[in-house]
Every structure is written in C-alpha cells, then in structure tokens.
C-alpha cells in the first residue's frame, strides 16, 4: 500500500498587500501548545434514529470528571444521497462554475468506503458467509460518486479505491482464513500467554498445563472413540498420561505470546495505514471492518487508540461487523479441537472463552463508538452491510484542549452527556491517551492542518466562503482563480503599538476527479488594523485570491483557515469543471 503524505506547494508569487492586510506564502508554522482531542458523538432516539437538533451549549464533556470547554463544534450528516437511491442525472456542462455550488459534476467522487477483512482472525466458517454477503451488497450497485477499496489486516489483498466491481470480486476470492492455533492450544491462547508472561498469572499457567495434559494424553478422541494418532501429539519427550512438565507449558506460552504480539503489531500498523489512506481522501470516508473481534494486550492498546484518534480528527467513520454473528460460547469447551475429558477443565475453558469473547468484542465497540460508527452483530450479514454503507444521519464533532495535562502517557476517561436527553442514547469515545512526551509545535500544526485539508467537514469556527472562476489559456489548459472570503469577526485581535493585530493561515487545495491531491498553496495573513478602521474591516472581512494552472477536468476545491493560536478553524468545499 502506498503512503499518503500532505504536500503543500508554494506558489511562485510573493504575496499581496492591501494596506492593513498582508498575505505571503509560508510553510506551515502554527503555534499550538496542546493537542486537540476530537470526540465524535451520535445521539439516538428510542427507535435508533440519529437526532440532529442539538447545539454546542447542549453538550457537556468531562475529562476525568472535570468539565471541559468545547473549543470546536461541528455537525455532519450524509453529504450524498443514500447509497441505493436511483442514480443522479448528469448535470449540464457549465463554464465558469461557482465553487460554492455542490455537485458541479458527478465525476467527482464524494464517498470513499474501505471494506477491511480481518484475515488474521477470521475462520473459514466466518469468512465464507460475510464474503458472500459483501459481494451481493456490492452487486446492488456502486454509485458514480462512490469509490470502494477492499483491504485486509494482513496486507495481502490490497485493492485501493475503484468502482470496478470485477476487480473487487476477484480480490474477494483471494482472501484466506486465519490458521487455527496448534494442537492443544485454545483459541484464547494469546490472552493466556499475555496474562502469564506480563502479569505472572498462575491460573493462566495452570489452565494451560491442564489443557496440555488432558488434550495430549487423553489417549482417545471423545467424539469418535479412536486412538489419537501420534501426529496429533507434539514430540514433547513424554509418555502417554504423564503430567506436562512446567518447562514445556511455559515454552508453549512464551512462543504463543511472541507470535501473537508480532501479529498484533503488524495488523494494527496495517489498520492504521488504512485509516490514514481514508483520511487522505476528500469526501465522506467510511471504514467497514469485518472481524470476529481481536484480543489486544494492554501494551498495544495505545496503538488501537491512535487509529481511533486519527479517524476522529479526520472525520473517518469506522463501522464494525462481528463476523461471528450472534455469538455463543461452545459449552463443551472447544471439544472438536482440545478433546477435553475433565468436566472441571471444560468449565474453566468455557469461562475463559466467554471472557476472551467479551474482550474481543470490546475492541470492535471502541473502534465504532470512538469514531461515530456502528458496531453490529447479526446473523444476516447482507442487510447489515447495506445499513453500514450509509453514514449516520448526523454526527456531532466536539473538540477540546485538555487543560494542565501531564505528559504521562496515561489513559484519560471522558464522558459526554446532553441536556434534556431523557430517552436518548449518547454514543461517544471512552477516552484518550495523554502523550508520553510533548509534541513539537511545528509537527502538531502540520498534522492538524493536513487532517483538515483532507477532510470534507464544513468547519465554521472561522466562517469562510469560496468562489472560483477560470479562463482558458490553451487547449486543455486554464487558469483557475479561487477567492476565499474570510469572516474575521471572531478573530481575537490584540493591541500592539497603534494596531489591532491578528494572524491567520489559509490553505487552498485541489483534488482531481478520483479524489487524489493535485496541488495547493498555503498563505500567512497578517492583520494590522488601526482603531478607526477596525469596525469597517470586521464588517467587510478579508478576500484572498489564489491562482492555479490546471488541465481540463473535474476538481474538488478545499479551503482551510486557522488563526495563529490554533484555537479556531474554518473550512469550505467547492467543485469546478474545466472543459
């Protein structure tokens, strides 16, 4: 999978000066002392419908029980008609299209959906029905505005965004199930190994000892009554029915832990790459994870949280489909694999299996609830795919800057409530991890503005409107001018000498018809306004023009403005088609 990096190109001209307003080309250099924590929130009524009537003042957010000021607030809904609605008619060809008018061309994709199969954990019994359901789901039609990717956590089947159903169908059939654990190792062997290796859990060790003893040396298969073949019993240097030596069992646990931790690091890295890939696309972004759940050791919980944080900041919605369906624990203690005969041991295995199942489900819930998505677990997968393919009717995005946060790398629990929320359910992320070190201000600024540029959220902390016009310079080429109007009434100006000062940064970027980044500029805007002109300047706002040399084609325009202190941002979208 290729990497996606924000590249902001600097225009050739030096800047514009209009008396008290100066603009100049500049590299990203925001002053940001703390990192914004973004919290997607979905409020649903008793029928499960998202409620979109709340305002910023209706929400309360606490961090460790302490109320937090909401620095950012946005409401987002479906930016395109429902997926299975009739196709849109093609618009008539237009020249000089105003960028403020949406849907200037249906050639511009506005929706990116990544279907991700957890081939690290899926069994064939789980893979086959979910794969068949996804194929039926996609055969109902991929809209012209949609681009679909098919990816796996192992990274072995990468089909990036396309509308070619034949490619997706062929790739689906290449997905293979995960291998089962070795003989006498339960499906929750990684959890047992983690608890023994990292927490010196004697019960985990004793349980694995009992499983090895009962499984390897039971002598006969309880299902068939046949003598177990020698190939079923690893060469452990012991006689039948002999007790399992502790060194053998601890060796099994250490090996399982090493393999499990390596696999977990790999698939979490791959998953984060998928989230970053989606975050780089300009439009509605959905990730649908098909998985039976996953056990993630405590040491790697931060890696999962980082994916949630990237998705939340970028407006990527993660939905999860539990491939186990309505899951029940095997009451016989996984008898088809472990061949257990002791009733007490079966009871212990069933208990651990239930515990492991709940932990794996928690990871799916955290991914969904932390990003504004849904976590579903039903036996009929086709309607669930149809449901998840459309984003929630309404997602609130709350943003706050933690006050006096310690750089201790600890987990901070947050809670979101709404006033007059009786009978409503509030879905939000459980918390965030404090950084373990102070992030460099320049790195923070570059990351945050990059995420905003590649998002499609209409952020209104600083109101911004854009207008575009173009003239042809040659066959297949044109000069495109994008003018951003900035409402500066919410800029916090400070007095220095005889001027009212305030600084902003404006980024304007173009994306092509497939949603790929084409080019962009970044400008610093300096306000140095005299007292007698302040009211007039606030009322008039600021216009900043940016010129692009472009080829014929359809483009999406994205403009982002941010004040120097990084406390407020604004963003607007538009489309234009160059004939």
């Amino acid at each position: 999978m290729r990497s996606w990096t924000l590249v902001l190109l600097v225009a050739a001209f030096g800047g514009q000066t209009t008396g008290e307003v100066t603009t100049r080309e500049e590299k990203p250099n925001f002053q940001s002392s703390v990192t914004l924590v973004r919290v997607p929130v979905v409020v649903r009524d008793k029928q499960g419908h998202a409620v979109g009537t709340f305002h910023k003042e209706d929400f309360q957010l606490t961090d460790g029980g302490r109320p937090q000021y909401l620095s950012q607030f946005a409401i987002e809904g479906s930016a395109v008609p429902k997926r299975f609605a009739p196709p849109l008619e093609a618009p008539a060809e237009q020249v000089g299209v105003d960028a403020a008018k949406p849907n200037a061309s249906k050639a511009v994709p506005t929706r990116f959906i990544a279907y991700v199969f957890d081939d690290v954990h899926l069994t064939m019994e789980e893979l086959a029905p979910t794969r068949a359901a996804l194929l039926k789901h996609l055969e109902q039609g991929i809209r012209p505005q949609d681009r679909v990717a098919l990816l796996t956590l192992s990274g072995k089947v990468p089909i990036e965004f396309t509308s070619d159903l034949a490619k997706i169908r062929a790739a689906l059939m290449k997905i293979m199930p995960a291998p089962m654990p070795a003989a006498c190792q339960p499906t929750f062997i990684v959890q047992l190994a983690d608890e023994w290796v990292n927490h010196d859990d004697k019960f985990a060790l004793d349980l694995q000892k009992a499983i090895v003893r009962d499984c390897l040396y039971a002598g006969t298969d309880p299902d068939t009554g046949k003598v177990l073949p020698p190939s079923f019993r690893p060469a452990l240097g012991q006689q039948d029915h002999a007790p399992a030596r502790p060194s053998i069992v601890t060796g099994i646990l250490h090996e399982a832990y090493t393999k499990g931790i390596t696999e977990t690091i790999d698939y979490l890295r791959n998953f984060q790459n998928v989230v970053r890939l989606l975050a780089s696309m300009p439009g509605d972004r959905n990730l649908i994870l098909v998985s039976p759940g996953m056990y993630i050791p405590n040491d790697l919980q931060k890696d999962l949280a980082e994916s949630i944080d990237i998705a939340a900041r970028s407006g990527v919605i993660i939905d999860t489909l539990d491939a186990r369906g309505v899951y029940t624990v095997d009451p016989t203690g996984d008898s088809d694999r472990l061949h257990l005969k002791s009733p007490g041991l079966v009871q212990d295995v069933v208990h651990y299996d239930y515990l492991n199942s709940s932990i794996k489900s928690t990871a799916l819930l955290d991914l969904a609830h932390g990003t504004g998505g849904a976590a579903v677990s039903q036996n009929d997968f086709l309607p669930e795919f149809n449901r998840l393919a459309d984003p929630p009717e309404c997602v609130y995005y709350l943003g706050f800057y933690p006050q006096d946060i310690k750089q201790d790398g600890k987990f901070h629990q947050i809670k979101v409530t709404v006033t007059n929320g009786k009978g409503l359910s509030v879905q939000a992320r459980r918390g965030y991890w404090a950084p373990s070190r102070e992030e460099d201000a320049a790195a923070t600024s570059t990351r945050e503005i990059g995420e905003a540029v590649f998002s499609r959220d209409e952020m209104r902390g600083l109101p911004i409107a854009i207008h575009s016009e173009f003239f042809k310079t040659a066959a297949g080429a044109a000069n495109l001018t994008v003018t951003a109007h900035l409402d500066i009434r919410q800029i916090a100006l400070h007095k220095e000498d005889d001027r009212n000062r305030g600084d902003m940064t404006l980024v304007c970027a173009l994306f092509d018809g497939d949603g790929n980044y084409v080019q962009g500029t970044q400008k610093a805007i300096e306000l140095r306004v005299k007292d007698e002109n302040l009211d007039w300047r606030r009322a008039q706002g600021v216009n900043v023009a940016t010129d692009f040399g472009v080829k014929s084609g359809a483009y999406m325009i994205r403009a982002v403005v941010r004040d120097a202190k990084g406390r407020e941002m604004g963003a607007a979208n538009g489309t234009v088609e160059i004939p």
Side-chain angles (χ1 to χ4, degrees), residues 106-159:
K106 74 172 184 177
V108 177
T110 56
R111 184 77 186 284
F112 297 85
I113 309 174
Y115 296 93
V116 182
F117 276 75
D118 180 4
D119 57 341
V120 179
H121 301 103
L122 282 166
T123 66
M124 179 54 76
E125 291 75 14
E126 296 159 346
L127 172 62
T130 53
R131 181 166 56 189
L134 176 59
L135 185 57
K136 290 181 180 179
H137 160 73
L138 293 174
E139 286 175 343
Q140 297 182 40
I142 299 175
R143 291 175 54 86
Q145 296 90 344
D146 291 350
R147 296 295 184 271
V148 173
L150 179 67
L151 305 159
T152 60
L153 289 190
S154 70
K156 296 179 181 177
V157 184
I159 297 295

Side-chain angles (χ1 to χ4, degrees), residues 544-570:
V544 181
T546 300
D547 292 324
F548 297 99
V550 296
K551 298 178 181 179
S552 296
Y555 297 91
M556 196 277 280
I557 303 169
R558 175 72 172 173
V560 175
V561 62
R562 179 175 176 173
D563 71 1
K565 294 182 179 180
R567 286 296 188 263
E568 295 289 352
M569 295 183 71

